[in-house]
Amino acid sequence: MPNAIELRGLTRRYAAKTEVVALDTVDLDIAEGGVIGVLGENGAGKTTLTKILATLLFPSEGSARVFGHDVVRDARAVRRVTTAVFGGDRGLYPMLSGGENLRYFGVLNGVHGRALRTRMPEVLEDFGLMDAADRRVETYSKGMRQRLHLCIGLLTRPRLLLLDEPTVGLDPNESARLREVIAGFPRQGTTVVLTSHNLLDIETLADRVVMLAHGRIAHDAGVDDFRRLGGVEAVVTVTTDGSAVLTDELKALGAASTPDGSRLNVPVARWSGEMLARLSHALAGQRIERLDVRTSTLDEAFAVASRTETDAP
Amino acid sequence: MHALFASARNQVAIVLTRATNLATGVVVPLMLMSLLTLPRLHHLDPTTATAVFTGVLLASFWGASLWSGAGILRRERDMGTLAPSVTGRPSALTMLLGKTLGGVVFDIGLIVVTNVLFVLAAGIRLRIAHPFVFMLGVIVVVVCGVASSLMIGALLILSRYAFQLTTALGTPVMLLGGTIIPHDVLPPWAAAIGNVINLAWLQRFMVSTATTPDWSALLIALGLSAAYAAVGIVAVRVMLRWARKEGTLELA
Amino acid sequence: MSWHEILRANARLGWAMLRADWPPLVWLVGALLPEVVRMLVFVAIGSITGGSEGARYALIGCVVLSVAGTCVSAVTDIPAIDVALGTYRTIAAAGVPVFVQYVARALALAAAALVVSVCVAITLGLVTGQPAMIWPLVSRVWMLLPAVAAATMLGLVVIAPAIGSNWEGITYNAATALVTVVSGAVFAVTVPTLQAVGDVLPLTHAIRALRESLTGEPWMGEWMLEFAVATGWCIIGAFVYRAQTARGRRTGRGAYAA
């Protein structure tokens, strides 16, 4: 069974006054099934990678294969198994209605006839566009256009679904709804590659995180392991009656207290039975009113990972 | 086939929202019909009137295919819909052919209706001795129009001066194309240039339907159009390949 | 800024935009050549419908008609671009009526129209075997001044209500086509209705004046009538732009909204 995606020495350069290397000898294997989050700062190469996989762009060097089909030589075979959603204000016919856009792009995505007639109301309902389906897209808000892009992309059940910043322009409820829909795809056999600056998307959906920096893979890890890149898995916040004492034992754990002595923050590198025992021992004697445990976030991990890449020689 | 009809239908839906098509489909035919018939209304014989009818149809359609048909690719790129249109499951060529076909059928339909209404309003009599052959000619005009539009659209899309080049192409073909200006009015060298334009042969065929159909003219028109289509197909493939190489399909 | 400084600034902008949009080679291939060929088509039509006399008739008319492409069609870009770029509100707040500013901006196009006219006279005179007509026509190009003014006013007027809508393209196309048919440039208009329409549209009187001048008849009357037509369309234009701007301010919607 071929991998969903295989990249070998994948390189993409853009000719400009000074040449820009968007992807630099990237090697990557992504097995079928699951959701892979692709992170990176602006200009890291995420969208370039998505465009190459969507057969919109040729690599400059190296190769990219989707289920064994080369994106250059077997582009049509790749398109048969792949759907890409790029979103944004463009890529729709503003003078036509949402329904007309959906009908046309549905055919492009291989859905027509009865299948299209059945799926169209379902996706429109899923994304709250049923009432607006007969309105011209030029009257749609940014969020509505984004949702229409998603309707188009999710008409089919492709083997590979590429989502480029899918929650841009969506409000929190719409984003949550979209995540619910995407979460169902792997169960139906679709591999999802998701690029997003909204780390909640990655955190909620992805099993694996690939971080790009300057066109190269900087990190490739499971979500939990990526989260630990920040150095901590969690932070324990202890609220006292104002009499918190920063003991040597707590200092050894890396704890810090607020100036007024009301709170202690103890970072936890990795949870274990031993860690729990040490913490319990260190906090004995403190007048604890409340204890909160906050799992470290991908934002924190991303910030640390980005700084590491920036600071790297 | 689904893809061909879907893209044709999509293009018709688009042009229905654009009043500009009325310029090429109504205004220009009305203007040309007026200029060619009003000065001689009292002594216009049916055969000449039919030649004017078909000449205006072809000349107006040439303008329409330049501004409407050949502009399809450029407008799709400007809207950001070119990329998804040419990288979907159906082949890029099928989608582009379908869109061009939709635009061409709409334009020709509009011009025919305009011309018919004009001759009715002006009381002009036409002579169509072979109606079915005439209709075949109209269908061939559609086919040839798709070929021309595809070729020009593909060749123009990458030029920064597409608008200016389109303007530059329009009127010379109207002069030399043998449609509203018969070749016997032109100097021989100009008429010779006109003979590589499929419109000239189409007009020759359409005019001949008033008496004895000139099938060789039809065949030459089809042959030339096939050549245009071949150039167009190659140009589309080259254009798409180049765009994928340079990253200029302008996704978002 | 004083009113004449504003108008000078608009005139300079018009010239700069003409140079930017139409570099010399592009103007030659994309504007001048097509216009010359278009006029040749009309002269050929004149020849088809009226023989050699028809060709001569159309040649004279087309030297005047050639200004329509620039003054009626191209001039419509001036307000359309301001609306599209969002600069209309700045123009409207400048203290000089918008319409007057646009007329100043159109001066470059008007000059280009006269150049086209001269080129048409020379080229068509040679190509149609009427070289003797060239000098009499070229030496009378100054007579086109009121025609250029009237056509420019018409172009600015017809585009005003359509800016930002789907109807932009069809307005100036329809106006140019109408002028072509009813102006008497290509054939002598004898239908009373068409004559009446032509009498209030640009070019008709200028064409008659030119024909009369060429045959040694009194032409001043028709020439002044062309000025009158220009004045009429100028008044309409001033009113239309004032009304559109006021409506934009009042409703906050549409192409002219601030």
Side-chain angles (χ1 to χ4, degrees), chain B residues 96-184:
Chain B
L96 293 175
L97 272 174
K99 282 190 149 281
T100 310
L101 178 66
V104 164
V105 167
F106 181 85
D107 288 334
I108 287 184
L110 199 54
I111 295 167
V112 167
V113 167
T114 301
N115 280 11
V116 166
L117 289 175
F118 183 93
V119 298
L120 288 173
I124 296 171
R125 283 179 51 226
L126 303 180
R127 184 169 179 226
I128 301 175
H130 306 274
F132 289 114
V133 177
F134 190 87
M135 282 313 303
L136 173 67
V138 174
I139 292 168
V140 171
V141 169
V142 169
V143 170
C144 296
V146 169
S148 308
S149 295
L150 193 67
M151 178 184 72
I152 297 163
L155 292 174
L156 284 181
I157 188 176
L158 295 172
S159 168
R160 202 190 137 203
Y161 296 110
F163 173 81
Q164 291 85 347
L165 284 173
T166 307
T167 313
L169 274 177
T171 39
V173 171
M174 200 177 274
L175 180 68
L176 302 174
T179 52
I180 52 176
I181 311 294
H183 276 170
D184 51 19

Side-chain angles (χ1 to χ4, degrees), chain A residues 5-18:
Chain A
I5 293 172
E6 272 178 20
L7 310 178
R8 295 286 178 267
L10 188 69
T11 304
R12 172 69 209 189
R13 294 186 203 92
Y14 290 101
K17 276 189 182 158
T18 49

